[in-house]
Amino acid sequence: MQIHVVQHGDTLWQIAQSYGTDINQIVLLNELDHPDVLVVGRSLVIPEPGREYVVQPGDTLWIIAQMFGVTPQELAVANHITDPSLLFTGQMLTNPYLTHVVQAGEYIWGIAQQYGVSPEQIIAVNDIGQPGLIFPGQTLRIPIAARPVTEVNGFITRLDEQGGATVRRLGRYLTYISPFMYSIRDDGTLSELQEQPVLEAARANTVAPLLVVTNFAQGEFNSDLAAAVFRNLETQETLITNLLETMRAKGYAGVNFDFEYVYPEDRENYNHFLRRVVERLHPEGFLVTTALAPKESADQQGLLYEAHDYQAHGEIADFVILMTYEWGWAGGKPWAIAPINEVRDVLDYAITVIPRDKISMGMPLYGRDWNIPWVEGTTASTVSPKEAVQLAAMYGVPIQYDETYQSSFFRYTDENGQEHEVWFEDARSVQAKYDTARAYGLRGVSYWTLGTPFSQNWPVLQDNFRVRKF
């Protein structure tokens, strides 16, 4: 897979020719509704011919396996396909093997070095009886070098059949799914949630569901609600008991606590509550995880940050999700949603107090459209990456890329003369985030939120990592 940035004068035919691929493969992988309209500055994900294939209408696993010269089982294993019926148009599948034609003077050891695999792997997949018995002109199958393994969580707010369809389509890219959300009540009971379609789709894709618990009430995070639980041991025991009953009944693998705007004086109360949760849940095999605000220091001021004790959560929880997004928030000034320099500042602090293999880095799958000049009190609209590109095409403006923030943006003027500024994610920005997760040696990444059209993210993820499954 490669990323191409559209230049002045580019046509889809020229781009396909230059990469030796088929136009239709590019169209499907990037969900191009109008292939004849290319916005200058937009990114395109280009599949590598022979190694990657984008599923087309009418394809089956058997047909694609025949095309690659592998068995359907080999193809399914390489691409985390648990059910052959869960094959969707536009998904990219990877050939588990490359081919190499032996040249005069070549030996298996040298060929293995060239492709980053072991001689034993080449011998095994080609059924070579003696390592020296290869000859010029012989075609060898070369296993694809192993990609780093990572864990991927996805929060999802749409929990009906449409949400289930999203998880069925994207499940092979996920380790965990986190239906958002169960809210606590001040007596330790939980709100109701009808998330069955999402849970059923998760099971079909061997995705482990995490039960998300929040202090959200009447449209906002409620500090008093969190305090009512954290300051009362009896209420905590009631809440933990209710959690266990729900998790057992619905088949959850663990819990994620997303308590936000907690009073600073409840910092230790929150930590003690988590210890009690672990004591009750771990013996039954449940994971305990938390979502934390993006802090750059232990003493960072503000109601959002002070009660989130990075070091304590890193010691107590199985892993933490850092909410490294929302710098460009709906009520603030135009800015990248997750500027990579800011994300790295958070990680630079986090890794000093939390083990790296317990950190999941938050990633946004959306963008925002602000009216400019920005006026305090106004609210930006949320747009998907696909909608952002459509806006740029509609108003005939090029897309720019900020190298400091590693994010795409553009400006346009609408029919009423109102100026806008749009920041959004694209293939380049998510590649920068995957590079960061790898460079910091993190446990994985966590998306907020599934369901927004962003087809480019998935082949980029697939090209960088192999997703862990349980």
Side-chain angles (χ1 to χ4, degrees):
M1 182 222 78
Q2 297 185 66
I3 298 173
H4 177 86
V5 180
V6 176
Q7 307 295 315
H8 286 283
D10 274 354
T11 66
L12 204 56
W13 183 85
Q14 291 171 329
I15 295 169
Q17 289 290 108
S18 66
Y19 288 96
T21 190
D22 179 73
I23 288 178
N24 195 45
Q25 291 277 289
I26 300 175
V27 169
L28 289 172
L29 193 58
N30 293 275
E31 288 190 350
L32 301 180
D33 294 333
H34 303 286
D36 54 328
V37 179
L38 289 182
V39 179
V40 172
R42 75 156 298 173
S43 63
L44 293 173
V45 179
I46 313 295
E48 183 179 332
R51 180 172 179 265
E52 297 161 337
Y53 176 79
V54 183
V55 178
Q56 302 186 79
D59 279 342
T60 65
L61 201 63
W62 186 86
I63 289 173
I64 300 170
Q66 290 289 106
M67 191 183 310
F68 281 152
V70 300
T71 68
Q73 183 180 10
E74 288 174 315
L75 187 61
V77 169
N79 290 277
H80 281 318
I81 298 172
T82 55
D83 182 348
S85 68
L86 297 177
L87 197 63
F88 300 93
T89 299
Q91 286 187 330
M92 187 178 79
L93 301 186
T94 302
N95 188 338
Y97 304 105
L98 299 171
T99 57
H100 177 87
V101 179
V102 178
Q103 305 298 309
E106 285 190 320
Y107 298 93
I108 284 183
W109 184 87
I111 296 170
Q113 289 287 104
Q114 179 182 340
Y115 290 99
V117 298
S118 69
E120 291 75 19
Q121 286 176 292
I122 296 177
I123 292 168
V125 300
N126 291 279
D127 196 24
I128 298 173
Q130 297 181 36
L133 295 181
I134 61 173
F135 50 86
Q138 181 179 359
T139 299
L140 299 177
R141 294 204 304 177
I142 310 296
I144 296 294
R147 290 157 291 161
V149 176
T150 197
E151 290 189 0
V152 179
N153 174 62
F155 287 100
I156 186 167
T157 58
R158 188 77 185 253
L159 307 180
D160 57 8
E161 292 298 336
Q162 184 174 328
T166 296
V167 177
R168 279 192 295 275
R169 181 180 180 86
L170 301 178
R172 69 188 186 94
Y173 306 107
L174 302 173
T175 310
Y176 310 103
I177 186 71
S178 297
F180 197 81
M181 62 186 169
Y182 281 87
S183 295
I184 58 171
R185 300 190 182 101
D186 57 13
D187 62 355
T189 57
L190 291 167
S191 63
E192 299 294 324
L193 199 65
Q194 303 300 320
E195 75 277 48
Q196 203 57 35
V198 167
L199 296 180
E200 290 174 359
R203 281 192 289 272
N205 279 281
T206 61
V207 179
L210 299 178
L211 188 152
V212 181
V213 183
T214 75
N215 58 320
F216 198 83
Q218 285 82 51
E220 61 182 3
F221 286 93
N222 188 307
S223 307
D224 292 327
L225 188 54
V229 172
F230 292 153
R231 299 176 188 181
N232 188 306
L233 294 182
E234 185 177 341
T235 303
Q236 289 179 34
E237 290 304 311
T238 300
L239 174 58
I240 296 170
T241 297
N242 286 326
L243 274 175
L244 279 167
E245 291 176 353
T246 303
M247 293 164 70
R248 294 181 192 125
K250 294 192 173 184
Y252 276 97
V255 62
N256 177 260
F257 293 105
D258 181 14
F259 290 126
E260 301 187 29
Y261 297 97
V262 176
Y263 290 126
E265 54 266 36
D266 283 318
R267 177 186 176 110
E268 282 305 316
N269 292 333
Y270 190 3
N271 295 340
H272 290 317
F273 167 73
L274 288 175
R275 292 187 181 97
R276 293 186 184 95
V277 171
V278 167
E279 287 175 2
R280 296 276 304 273
L281 268 62
H282 272 184
E284 297 198 31
F286 292 117
L287 291 168
V288 177
T289 73
T290 63
L292 298 177
K295 297 176 64 168
E296 296 179 10
S297 66
D299 57 358
Q300 188 163 332
Q301 300 296 302
L303 185 60
L304 180 63
Y305 308 102
E306 292 178 56
H308 283 184
D309 187 335
Y310 271 36
Q311 183 167 348
H313 285 237
E315 293 169 354
I316 301 166
D318 293 297
F319 67 88
V320 300
I321 295 169
L322 302 184
M323 295 183 284
T324 40
Y325 37 75
E326 287 293 280
W327 276 269
W329 65 291
K333 296 179 180 179
W335 196 7
I337 310 301
I340 201 66
N341 56 325
E342 299 288 345
V343 171
R344 288 171 180 154
D345 285 345
V346 173
L347 294 175
D348 285 341
Y349 163 59
I351 61 175
T352 66
V353 290
I354 304 173
R356 294 171 190 254
D357 62 359
K358 282 192 172 187
I359 298 174
S360 181
M361 183 186 78
M363 288 180 58
L365 299 183
Y366 58 93
R368 289 224 164 89
D369 182 340
W370 286 265
N371 287 351
I372 56 171
W374 180 75
V375 177
E376 189 168 357
T378 59
T379 302
S381 60
T382 300
V383 296
S384 70
K386 182 176 181 178
E387 290 168 336
V389 174
Q390 289 172 336
L391 281 171
M394 181 187 304
Y395 292 100
V397 295
I399 292 170
Q400 302 177 65
Y401 192 75
D402 189 291
E403 294 293 342
T404 299
Y405 302 148
Q406 292 287 300
S407 183
S408 288
F409 72 100
F410 60 90
R411 291 183 174 182
Y412 72 93
T413 302
D414 66 24
E415 296 84 352
N416 299 317
Q418 174 65 56
E419 288 187 275
H420 296 250
E421 185 168 319
V422 178
W423 288 85
F424 68 101
E425 300 296 317
D426 71 355
R428 291 167 291 182
S429 68
V430 295
Q431 179 63 65
K433 291 174 177 62
Y434 294 135
D435 288 342
T436 298
R438 187 187 299 106
Y440 279 81
L442 305 182
R443 181 188 187 99
V445 298
S446 176
Y447 301 127
W448 182 268
T449 168
L450 301 181
T452 53
F454 188 16
S455 63
Q456 292 185 340
N457 177 63
W458 311 109
V460 178
L461 168 68
Q462 188 175 338
D463 193 63
N464 281 271
F465 297 107
R466 183 168 178 82
V467 176
R468 178 174 286 120
K469 292 282 189 178
F470 295 107

